[in-house]
Amino acid sequence: MFKKAMLCLLILVAGMSGSVLVSAGIAVLGLALTAYAASLASKRIGRIKEYFELLSQTEESYELPDIEGKEEFQAIAQCVETNLKPRMEQLAYYKGAIAGVDAPIFLCERSGKIVVASKSTLSFLNKSSDQVIGKTVSQAFYNQNKKAITERIMDENRNFIDEVVLELWDGRRVPVMAYMNVIKDHRQEIIGAVVVFFDIAESREQKQALE
C-alpha cells in the first residue's frame, strides 16, 4: 500500500511544472520518505526489543529467538554470543557456588531484592526458593514490607559486623553474628550487598551455662 502511494507521489512530482511546484512536490516526497524511514526504524527497534525480552527469559540459551526478520539481527546475536554469554556463564558459576555454600549466605540488589541464596539460608528461614529469591530481605525474613538492616547498611554506605537478633516471620527470635558487605561497581556506586550470618544461640547458651 505504501509503495503504491510512493509511486503516485513520484508521478505527481514528474508531472509538475515550474520550480515552485517541483520544489513543493519534492518536499512532499521528502516528508513521505522520512515517514517511511521512521516507520522502518520503529519496526526494527520493536523487533530488537522483542529479541532482548525473549533473551532475558533464560540464562541457558543465547541463540537468536525465532522472530520476524531475525536475519537482520545476526550481528546482534554474534555480539551477544561473544560478549554477553561468557559474562552470564560466569554469573551462573558464582550463583551456583553461593547456592552450594554450607552456611547462610545471600546476595541482594541495591533495592534489597535477594538474587541468590544458599540452601542453608532457605533451611534457616524454613522457606522454599520461590519464597526467597526475588523477594526483599524484609519480605523473605519477616514477611513485611519495610527496610531491613541490609537496606539501611547500603543507604549508609558501610559494612557491618555485629550480633543481631532476628525476629523471623514464623515467630522465632534467633541471635546471629551477621557480616554484611556492600558491593560496588566500577564507578564506586553501591549495587548490592553480600550477607553471611551464623546462628549463635547455642554458643550463647553454653556461655551462660559456664557463667
Side-chain angles (χ1 to χ4, degrees):
M1 182 70 181
F2 189 88
K3 291 181 178 179
K4 289 182 178 179
M6 291 291 292
L7 181 59
C8 290
L9 283 171
L10 287 171
I11 294 172
L12 176 63
V13 171
M16 287 180 177
S17 60
S19 57
V20 175
L21 291 178
V22 171
S23 297
I26 292 175
V28 172
L29 181 58
L31 289 173
L33 288 171
T34 300
Y36 182 56
S39 175
L40 286 178
S42 177
K43 289 180 180 179
R44 287 184 176 180
I45 290 172
R47 290 202 297 271
I48 291 173
K49 182 175 181 290
E50 180 186 359
Y51 164 53
F52 280 105
E53 285 177 348
L54 290 172
L55 187 64
S56 67
Q57 294 173 8
T58 177
E59 295 179 359
E60 300 177 356
S61 175
Y62 302 89
E63 299 296 327
L64 192 64
D66 187 18
I67 61 176
E68 180 185 356
K70 69 176 184 178
E71 64 278 357
E72 298 180 33
F73 309 125
Q74 292 304 324
I76 296 176
Q78 184 61 45
C79 180
V80 170
E81 181 72 24
T82 303
N83 298 288
L84 182 59
K85 184 177 180 180
R87 293 176 183 273
M88 294 300 292
E89 289 178 341
Q90 187 179 45
L91 176 61
Y93 168 79
Y94 287 122
K95 288 176 68 175
I98 291 172
V101 173
D102 189 22
I105 178 174
F106 64 87
L107 296 177
C108 66
E109 297 177 345
R110 181 64 182 86
S111 64
K113 183 185 297 184
I114 297 173
V115 293
V116 58
S118 66
K119 293 179 180 178
S120 295
T121 303
L122 304 180
S123 178
F124 175 82
L125 293 174
N126 289 327
K127 285 190 172 185
S128 65
S129 178
D130 291 342
Q131 294 173 306
V132 175
I133 305 302
K135 307 296 183 182
T136 65
V137 175
S138 182
Q139 290 169 340
F141 280 70
Y142 315 117
N143 280 5
Q144 296 178 355
N145 292 310
K146 65 178 184 179
K147 277 192 175 183
I149 187 172
T150 311
E151 288 98 323
R152 296 198 298 271
I153 291 301
M154 287 190 286
D155 288 343
E156 297 168 7
N157 190 15
R158 66 184 179 91
N159 296 325
F160 177 91
I161 302 177
D162 204 351
E163 292 184 12
V164 296
V165 177
L166 301 178
E167 299 183 359
L168 300 172
W169 67 276
D170 56 3
R172 287 179 293 146
R173 297 182 78 255
V174 184
V176 301
M177 176 61 76
Y179 302 81
M180 306 179 191
N181 280 65
V182 296
I183 302 171
K184 299 181 179 181
D185 62 13
H186 65 284
R187 296 167 296 187
Q188 294 303 299
E189 294 182 359
I190 296 174
I191 58 174
V194 55
V195 180
V196 185
F197 58 95
F198 301 96
D199 186 339
I200 58 173
E202 185 176 346
S203 62
R204 273 192 175 184
E205 291 174 359
Q206 292 175 348
K207 183 179 179 179
Q208 290 173 354
L210 291 173
E211 295 175 347

